Amino acid sequence: MSIALLGSAFIYLDWAGLSHPLPETISALLFFWCVLQADRRVWFWVGFFLSLFWFWWIMVSFKHYHILWAVPIGLLTISLIYAFLFWAIAAISEYAANTLVTQFTPRPKGTSPYGQARASLPKAIGLLLLSHLHPLGFDWLKPALLFVHSYIGVQTWQLALVLTAILLSQYKKNSLFLLLVLLTYSPAKTTISFQDTDSPIALAHTMTSVEDKWNPALTASHITEVFAIIDRAITDRRQVIILPESVFPFFLNKEPEILDALLKRSEQIDIIIGALYLDTKQIHRNASYLLKKGRYTIANKVLLVPFGERNPLPEWAGEWVNRVFFDGAVDYIASAEPTNFDINGTPYRNAICYEACSEVLYRDRPKQMIVLSNNGWFIPSVEPTLQRLLLEFYSRKYGTTIYHSVNMSPSYTIKSTKGHL
């Protein structure tokens, strides 16, 4: 468990407001040092506790479905999935070292120091590949994320060089090889602004609980609040107003009066707002609406939350899970490709909550991204912290400026800059 704590320290230091590059660099290097020389049994427990410390907040959403009894089952399931994933990486690595390699050399097998050293190389390769292994489509566990607030860069080659330095130091029993880590130093950092009154883009921040959002008795007051936010942005002479995911928890394209009122205001300000969308085939979609100059366009979500918006299980099992755990909720349908909104001649990649934390939306290196989130499902927890760290990670890695409008946690802008961390 102590190794998993080292690999989770950066999350909780940031959550506690104690983030600093020095302790986060040290804890990250110690994590990789310890895990590379550990055997498959230790890797099993590292995977178990690391996923527990990173992802326990998923179970917070269960209270909204009134299935708190399922929280221990969910925690154990998530932890065991990653435990066996880590165990498999270590087991394959040790098999490769002890069987495929040593058959050509008369070296001792098993758990000898030599065998463990040989197994460290494929384990390092496994850590590099871990970012591409997504159990049930969930891809938030990225080893390089440990460096997001450190003195070390977040690119794959920098992680590879760190692992190489550790491997050489352990194998040659010479700490001087750790000096190679200096080559991974990166002065790039991210700056976060929570209230930028000079920006032409206004980021709305709402505090509407999950229960209140879907309470029909409160719908009228929510609509009034949304229009008040838009009118305030118009008064402040903003060019764009961005509101959170599902700020309208209904099919906006089927509410002509509300849509007309938004379109009228869109003559004065570009409006990006989260709501549901019902297409011509009666398919439910989680969408962003861009209302501009009296017209609107739709950007449907590309990557759906496993179990939250789509069920990754076979159809027969998925229907049972939806019925028992999620009140018979209907799965959303994802769009095939991400959408870019055109705002004043500049393309802005659209992303809705979960998908903004996936590498898929960054592969063509978008310069600007608009993210809409509803974090009400996971409050209170470290989920908003981990989400922001992932967004900072991708901003550093791809140079993307991210405008994030959030419900139930602060809204902010992330910019990748050059300078000292």
Side-chain angles (χ1 to χ4, degrees), residues 367-392:
K367 295 299 182 184
Q368 315 278 346
M369 178 178 287
I370 290 172
V371 182
L372 283 58
S373 292
N374 175 21
N375 288 341
W377 293 100
F378 309 109
I379 298 298
S381 76
V382 298
E383 184 272 344
T385 300
L386 180 57
Q387 180 189 46
R388 176 171 46 77
L389 291 171
L390 281 160
L391 294 181
E392 290 186 69

Side-chain angles (χ1 to χ4, degrees), residues 261-326:
L262 288 170
L263 289 172
K264 183 178 295 184
R265 285 168 172 78
S266 75
E267 297 287 355
Q268 303 176 71
I269 189 172
D270 291 352
I271 303 168
I272 299 171
I273 191 167
L276 302 182
Y277 176 71
L278 189 66
D279 69 15
T280 55
K281 296 181 180 180
Q282 302 301 300
I283 293 176
H284 297 200
R285 297 184 186 272
N286 189 356
S288 300
Y289 288 69
L290 169 61
L291 302 104
K292 178 180 178 182
K293 304 301 180 185
R295 302 173 66 87
Y296 76 90
T297 55
I298 301 294
N300 294 315
K301 198 169 184 177
V302 176
L303 299 175
L304 301 177
V305 182
F307 294 104
E309 294 174 321
R310 67 168 181 88
N311 202 306
L313 300 175
E315 184 175 352
W316 64 270
E319 290 178 356
W320 180 83
V321 169
N322 284 351
R323 183 174 66 254
V324 173
F325 292 92
F326 302 112

Side-chain angles (χ1 to χ4, degrees), residues 47 52 66 206 216 225 345 377 385 405:
L52 185 65
H66 309 291
T206 57
E225 178 187 4
W377 293 100
T385 300
S405 177

